[in-house]
Amino acid sequence: MATRSAVPTSKPAGTRPPSPAEGPAGGGRRWPVLGAAVALSWALPLLLHTLSLDVVLIPVLVLAIASLIRVGGGLLDRLVVASFLLCGAVMAFGLLFSVWPWGLAPVPGTGLLLTVLSVSGWLAGRRPHIPLRLRGSDALVLGTVAVVWRYLHHPVAGKSAVDRLAYFVTSEDRLGHFSYFDGIHHVGGYAFLHQEAAKAFMMTPAEAVYPQGSHFLLVWIDVLVKSSTDGGSALDMTHRYLLYVLAAYALFCGALVWAARWIGGPRLRGWRTAAVCATVTAVMMSGSMAQLVERGFDSETIGLLFLAVALALLVRPAMGRAEFVLVGVAALVAVTFVYNLYGVLVGLTLAAVLVVHRRRFAPRRRLVIGALAGGTLIAGLPSVFSVLTKLDVAKTSNLAGPMVIPDRPVFIGCGLLALAAASLPVNRRTGTGQMVLALVLGGTAVIGVFGAWQKLTIGYYSYYFEKLTAAGLVIALISLGMIGLMLQPAARTSGSPLRRRTGLLLRSGVATAAALALFGNVQWGVPSGWGHPSAWYDSPMMKWGRGEAKSDIGPPANALTRRDLKGVTSPVIALYSSDAYLNLKSTFLAQILTHQAGTMVGLYEVFYVKIGGPAAVDEKEYQASLGRLKGAIASCPAPPTVLVGDRRTADRLRQDLGSAGTAATVVYAPLT
């Protein structure tokens, strides 16, 4: 079996002579250099913290990593890989940050990270160097991020903090994710390492069983943004958290475009690159995946973001052994910490890399495998911890819930095309072609086995099956880089450089427009033959951009923030309406706005309370709702305050709860 990469090299990876940026072996290992670097690693965070500019440390860390690694020949490639490594490092070092005395304080954490970089660069004898070369297709990657951000951010731009809650509370899932974010902020580390303290902020057993990597990473970013471990008011925190989530989805779309281009490698050039990148953009902007934002699937979004980058770098590991180990460990940690379901795909892909490229790693096989094994232990620590404590894997895997169903035709079609492209002799003889085959076939097997298990145990495809098929869509889309190689490259033309570049730009523009029309339903101003807008305007992202996805939480949010939560320290049950789901969201919102989401253990009892508003209900419904309300009250650690939107209902509840000996303060709280 051939094991060479898609871009043949004359010498094995890791054996090339040092570049001028690296210097001769050991030439950069001078003690004064190390001392100065370590001193600067602490002086800079101290200075920026004094100026309340800790957020500047994020690009500083990215650039520091980018200057020491040797991956990718262009600036954007280098920055993407550096950012990925930083995220993995933050989540891994977060285990230490969670137990040391300083928690998530900006200076100790960033000082340690910069020190590790300084020492690593000194030991490797590498001088800082960043390639400044840009590619024309960088505009498509960055443009995708910018356009998606524009649509997602538009509805909340200029809105008041209270009005933005209508876009924050589009589902209770986001409220749950925010409670994890809030809890990690307050306990100063991973909740599973501070379970008793975290129970006040998140509903048990989430503090022990739910993957917390994305929430930890966002808290770490938020601490630097705020230049403080104090997150401030919960209302302000919800706005910042929403912005982080919107940015994560925009970055996810851009990461898919970049990943497809990376897999295509140096052979994917010219108009073919534009066709591939624009196709991925079109699918993500017009397809169903934008519902991840509305449904509040925040961890899944970030998990898919890291999965896309991880799989791309492993499918085409165009890097030396040291960088490969770093990327492999970062992939295991970042993906598994954020969404452990996807860690299986990373593990299988890593195993395939070690087989396909076995000759590359032969000189240091034991060292490489040992380092990856260590990374696997770190990556699996939270998951093992949850399984050994409170997680029922079989029961959780079959949970029901709202689903975002990936576009089946795109998922199947792109996967089949990837198989066709990778099986061509010209691609099958390359390491990248073999890796694409392994990834597509392996991913299909994992999804198929999980689906068969669900059909056998519960008789239908459930919540986590669609989560796994979303990973399948990621695999299919990034594999478009291999499919692009099937297209006929443009022949070299004579003439001036300006003429050649103009021709390239025109062909790339036409390819981009064609991809958006074919896969995004963009009609480019041509009137619809059916007399109504094209499917592009009915896509989830367009609807979000027009403000059609906002929730009905507006009136309760106004009542809670401007009147009903003032001075309240007890748990709150908000029955503003006879709509049970609105009561559930209002109650959950009340808890997170007072930093005590964990006190409402019986929150989902409120989902069955269909009283509170002016709408009349029959006696049978009232008694059923009363019983559920008593259950919710009984779960509270202290007598709650029950806000009721209708005066008659409030008076009756006060009397009925009192006669039953149920301790609660019932308050008449009309929405108008």
Side-chain angles (χ1 to χ4, degrees):
M1 180 184 294
T3 58
R4 61 188 176 88
S5 175
V7 183
T9 57
S10 58
K11 296 187 179 183
T15 61
R16 59 182 174 80
S19 67
E22 293 170 325
R29 297 180 186 174
R30 291 180 293 178
W31 290 103
V33 172
L34 176 61
V38 171
L40 184 61
S41 298
W42 291 94
L44 183 60
L46 283 169
L47 174 62
L48 292 174
H49 185 65
T50 302
L51 300 174
S52 296
L53 293 174
D54 300 78
V55 69
V56 176
L57 289 167
I58 297 177
V60 167
L61 283 163
V62 171
L63 290 173
I65 296 173
S67 69
L68 295 177
I69 61 175
R70 301 295 182 258
V71 182
L75 177 61
L76 182 60
D77 292 343
R78 184 69 63 87
L79 293 179
V80 169
V81 178
S83 300
F84 180 67
L85 292 175
L86 174 61
C87 291
V90 168
M91 284 184 269
F93 276 96
L95 297 171
L96 173 62
F97 299 161
S98 300
V99 296
W100 72 0
W102 305 283
L104 297 179
V107 174
T110 54
L112 176 63
L113 291 173
L114 287 170
T115 300
V116 170
L117 286 173
S118 299
V119 174
S120 300
W122 181 80
L123 290 174
R126 289 185 177 180
R127 298 174 184 173
H129 172 71
I130 298 178
L132 300 180
R133 186 173 70 88
L134 300 174
R135 295 179 59 182
S137 53
D138 290 349
L140 290 171
V141 178
L142 299 176
T144 298
V145 176
V147 172
V148 173
W149 169 258
R150 166 68 176 77
Y151 278 108
L152 295 181
H153 183 252
H154 176 70
V156 301
K159 296 285 195 304
S160 68
V162 176
D163 290 339
R164 288 191 295 261
L165 288 174
Y167 297 91
F168 175 80
V169 191
T170 51
S171 77
E172 73 272 17
D173 280 70
R174 176 159 296 124
L175 293 168
H177 286 301
F178 177 81
S179 71
Y180 309 155
F181 174 82
D182 188 34
I184 291 172
H185 233 307
H186 279 85
V187 302
Y190 286 112
F192 74 89
L193 296 176
H194 300 276
Q195 292 187 33
E196 287 304 315
K199 285 180 180 179
F201 305 98
M202 57 187 74
M203 286 183 291
T204 192
E207 76 283 350
V209 303
Y210 198 87
Q212 299 160 15
S214 61
H215 314 98
F216 181 90
L217 180 62
L218 293 183
V219 169
W220 181 80
I221 292 172
D222 195 55
V223 166
L224 296 182
V225 169
K226 286 277 296 178
S227 290
S228 171
T229 55
D230 182 4
S233 73
L235 184 60
D236 290 339
M237 288 177 67
T238 61
H239 174 55
R240 297 197 307 275
Y241 178 82
L242 180 60
L243 292 181
Y244 300 150
V245 169
L246 299 182
Y249 185 78
L251 290 172
F252 170 42
C253 295
L256 284 171
V257 178
W258 175 86
R261 189 186 74 171
W262 175 268
I263 287 179
R267 291 191 294 160
L268 187 66
R269 304 179 64 84
W271 75 275
R272 299 187 300 169
T273 308
V276 167
C277 293
T279 297
V280 177
T281 298
V283 170
M284 292 305 296
M285 292 183 66
S286 64
S288 61
M289 295 306 289
Q291 291 178 349
L292 291 171
V293 177
E294 181 182 351
R295 295 288 174 86
F297 293 168
D298 303 339
S299 283
E300 181 183 354
T301 299
I302 299 175
L304 291 171
L305 161 62
F306 289 139
L307 182 68
V309 178
L311 293 181
L313 291 172
L314 295 178
V315 166
R316 192 175 76 87
M319 60 196 78
R321 283 189 293 267
E323 280 83 0
F324 172 76
V325 168
L326 289 174
V327 165
V329 172
L332 288 166
V333 170
V335 174
T336 308
F337 271 41
V338 172
Y339 218 75
N340 48 18
L341 178 65
Y342 300 147
V344 177
L345 295 171
V346 174
L348 290 176
T349 307
L350 261 175
V353 175
L354 295 176
V355 174
V356 171
H357 295 279
R358 59 189 177 277
R359 292 180 185 173
R360 287 180 54 189
F361 304 117
R364 296 288 187 273
R365 181 182 293 114
R366 291 184 179 179
L367 184 60
V368 170
I369 294 177
L372 293 176
T376 302
L377 291 176
I378 296 174
L381 181 63
S383 298
V384 171
F385 194 92
S386 63
V387 170
L388 295 178
T389 52
K390 302 178 181 179
L391 180 64
D392 185 336
V393 177
K395 180 180 178 181
T396 302
S397 299
N398 287 332
L399 284 176
M403 296 180 290
V404 174
I405 301 176
D407 301 296
R408 292 289 195 267
V410 176
F411 171 34
I412 298 171
C414 288
L416 292 175
L417 281 175
L419 286 177
S423 63
L424 290 175
V426 67
N427 295 325
R428 194 174 63 246
R429 289 192 294 265
T430 68
T432 302
Q434 294 168 21
M435 283 302 304
V436 169
L437 280 173
L439 178 61
V440 173
L441 293 176
T444 301
V446 170
I447 296 172
V449 169
F450 187 81
W453 181 75
Q454 284 202 330
K455 291 286 285 186
L456 179 65
T457 54
I458 59 177
Y460 59 92
Y461 300 126
S462 186
Y463 183 74
Y464 280 107
F465 176 78
E466 297 302 340
K467 303 280 190 182
L468 201 53
T469 58
L473 179 64
V474 166
I475 293 173
L477 289 178
I478 67 176
S479 297
L480 283 173
M482 178 62 65
I483 299 169
L485 298 176
M486 298 173 62
L487 301 174
Q488 183 69 29
R492 283 188 171 274
T493 59
S494 60
S496 65
L498 178 59
R499 180 181 176 183
R500 291 197 298 270
R501 290 172 183 169
T502 301
L504 173 61
L505 183 61
L506 288 175
R507 286 189 295 272
S508 298
V510 171
T512 300
L516 290 171
L518 288 170
F519 301 100
N521 300 297
V522 178
Q523 294 182 184
W524 301 108
V526 177
S528 173
W530 295 272
H532 57 73
S534 71
W536 170 266
Y537 293 96
D538 289 329
S539 65
M541 195 174 75
M542 298 302 110
K543 289 182 177 180
W544 176 279
R546 293 194 298 268
E548 297 177 13
K550 67 179 181 181
S551 70
D552 55 354
I553 201 68
N558 274 282
L560 288 170
T561 56
R562 295 172 179 169
R563 183 191 64 198
D564 296 335
L565 292 183
K566 292 183 177 180
V568 175
T569 57
S570 63
V572 174
I573 298 176
L575 306 179
Y576 290 120
S577 167
S578 297
D579 182 336
Y581 189 48
L582 183 60
N583 287 340
L584 170 69
K585 291 190 293 184
S586 301
T587 300
F588 207 163
L589 179 61
Q591 302 311 115
I592 67 170
L593 289 177
T594 54
H595 299 292
Q596 53 180 347
T599 62
M600 215 39 214
V601 179
L603 171 69
Y604 283 92
E605 291 290 326
V606 180
F607 181 71
Y608 300 96
V609 179
K610 301 178 181 180
I611 56 176
V617 296
D618 57 34
E619 185 63 20
K620 182 178 179 181
E621 185 62 63
Y622 175 84
Q623 292 299 331
S625 296
L626 178 62
R628 292 286 189 171
L629 178 60
K630 290 179 181 178
I633 293 173
S635 73
C636 295
T641 297
V642 182
L643 305 172
V644 184
D646 177 64
R647 184 183 294 277
R648 291 183 180 180
T649 305
D651 292 341
R652 185 175 180 184
L653 280 176
R654 192 179 296 111
Q655 179 179 351
D656 290 347
L657 292 175
S659 61
T662 302
T665 302
V666 179
V667 177
Y668 168 54
L671 286 181
T672 56

